[in-house]
Every structure is written in structure tokens, then in C-alpha cells.
Amino acid sequence: MIERLNQVNDVSILPVTDPAFAPYGRILTGWDFSGMTAWMESCAAIPETGNIYLASVPELEALEPAKELETVFYGGMPCQIGYCNGRNTTYNGFEYHKGSEINVAVTDFMLVLGHTWQMKGGTFRVEDAQVFFVEKGTALEMYQTTLHLSPCRVSDEGFKDIVVLPRGTNTPLPEKHATGDPESRLLLQRNKWVIAHPEREPLMKQGAFPGLLGENKELRY
């Protein structure tokens, strides 16, 4: 799969097991997500077009190892478990959170990643991003300094991804306040700071800051 993806794309695509992933996050071992994965395979459909993201899914949060994640991984803080399924192939933009995100690959997919410290004045250049291939069944932590957005598919069927975050993340803000802190213009939802490519109309209509500079690249498969 990696060889084929690199043949059809003009950017380097590395396996998430490569040491280059270390500044972005780590692969989680010793956790059993099989119950959640089985639920995703049978109950969570991939939309015909676009993506669907649900921040909190009670059926997933009732399964193991949800409580253990709160106790061990998040140090007693409440978390939410949802999913992102879809057919995305373009970079579109980036987001980051204050707190790590867990992703469990229910299917193969690619992740386009960057670092918050690479941003300048709320902008990030497309060519500074790194693309990683994530194999089905992989669970990983992405650090809070990692820029990311929706996975990108590697097949016609699309992708499925379990997403675990601190509870309340990616939910509507009661109201948005502009402050003297320049980061405030990137805050789009609770615990969700976003920059968008200007061509990504859905994000722009939500009020995302047009901070992704360069070509809105499309990943082929």
C-alpha cells in the first residue's frame, strides 16, 4: 500500500511506524479497542459524499476501554468518544486542541500533520506538512501540538476513524470573544483552534481563519 501511495502522489508518505512520527505522537500498545472497532464496522456508515463527525457517541462510550481511558490516559479527566467517517482526499485545513487526541483506525487511511510551532501569525504552509499512512487496527495518540484534520481515504470505500478527546472538544461555543491574544481568532469551537484553506468553503462559512497557505493538495490512491 505504501509503495502504491508514493507512486501516485508527489509528496512523501511514510508509515506511522516511522521514527518521523515521534514529534507528532506515538502508537498506543496494550489497549484493546476490538469492541469499539466491531461496533464501528457494523453500525457506523461511511457517507456517500463528504465526511461525518460525531464528537460523542454513547454506544462507543459504553464500551471498553472507555472508563480506563479516562482513568489512565486522561488522568481522571472525562473524555468523549466519537468517530469521523468519510471520503476526504484534500488537506483543507488544520486544527489543534489543548490535550491529546486518540485515533483508532477502523480502516486504513492517511493523516496530514504539522506542528503548531511551524505556524507564523496564524498561518501554515502546505509544503511543511507531512503525510503518514495509518494501517487498519492502529491506535495512536496525537499530541496537542500536532496540527491535523480529517483523515484521507486510501480506497473508494472511504475511511472510518474512532476519535477520543477531552469531553466538550469540538462542540459549539456559547459565544466567541475576540481578545488581544492573536490565537483567539483561530478558536472555532470548544477546544478547537482551526486554520482553513481559503478554498474550503464549509470551514470558511463557519468562520475559520484562512491560514493554510499554498495549493490545497489532493492525495491520490
Side-chain angles (χ1 to χ4, degrees):
M1 174 70 79
I2 286 282
E3 291 78 8
R4 179 171 60 81
L5 291 173
N6 277 291
Q7 287 173 359
V8 298
N9 287 285
D10 61 357
V11 295
S12 173
I13 299 169
L14 298 173
V16 76
T17 53
D18 191 279
F21 181 67
Y24 300 97
R26 64 187 177 106
I27 294 175
L28 300 181
T29 58
W31 294 87
D32 182 5
F33 291 99
S34 58
M36 292 183 182
T37 299
W39 186 90
M40 287 286 294
E41 290 175 336
S42 61
C43 299
I46 297 172
E48 290 297 322
T49 59
N51 292 350
I52 180 172
Y53 172 70
L54 299 178
S56 176
V57 177
E59 292 86 348
L60 288 172
E61 293 169 351
L63 298 172
E64 296 295 338
K67 290 302 181 184
E68 190 177 6
L69 286 172
E70 290 189 336
T71 302
V72 177
F73 188 87
Y74 286 104
M77 295 289 289
C79 70
Q80 65 192 28
I81 304 175
Y83 65 81
C84 182
N85 294 352
R87 301 177 181 276
N88 181 52
T89 58
T90 50
Y91 286 27
N92 291 328
F94 289 103
E95 67 181 11
Y96 63 94
H97 317 291
K98 303 298 175 72
S100 289
E101 175 175 322
I102 296 172
N103 288 261
V104 183
V106 183
T107 66
D108 294 343
F109 55 67
M110 291 179 282
L111 287 174
V112 183
L113 306 179
H115 298 295
T116 54
W117 62 77
Q118 292 174 297
M119 298 173 67
K120 294 179 175 62
T123 66
F124 179 90
R125 298 207 62 84
V126 166
E127 57 266 28
D128 291 333
Q130 176 65 65
V131 184
F132 291 93
F133 170 73
V134 184
E135 187 175 6
K136 175 181 178 179
T138 303
L140 56 89
E141 173 189 7
M142 287 195 297
Y143 303 141
Q144 71 172 29
T145 52
T146 297
L147 298 172
H148 62 281
L149 203 61
S150 159
C152 291
R153 61 176 167 166
V154 295
S155 71
D156 290 338
E157 288 72 28
F159 67 84
K160 291 186 178 184
D161 179 26
I162 298 170
V163 182
V164 187
L165 282 160
R167 183 160 293 279
T169 300
N170 294 337
T171 61
L173 285 167
E175 55 184 317
K176 184 174 179 179
H177 297 284
T179 72
D181 186 340
E183 188 183 39
S184 67
R185 62 182 174 174
L186 309 184
L187 185 63
L188 193 62
Q189 292 183 308
R190 282 179 171 167
N191 196 25
K192 180 187 180 80
W193 289 262
V194 177
I195 59 172
H197 194 280
E199 295 176 0
R200 183 58 178 170
E201 290 186 9
L203 284 175
M204 297 302 296
K205 288 179 179 178
Q206 292 177 46
F209 182 74
L212 183 56
L213 308 179
E215 176 190 0
N216 190 20
K217 295 186 69 64
E218 181 171 11
L219 291 173
R220 303 184 182 277
Y221 57 89

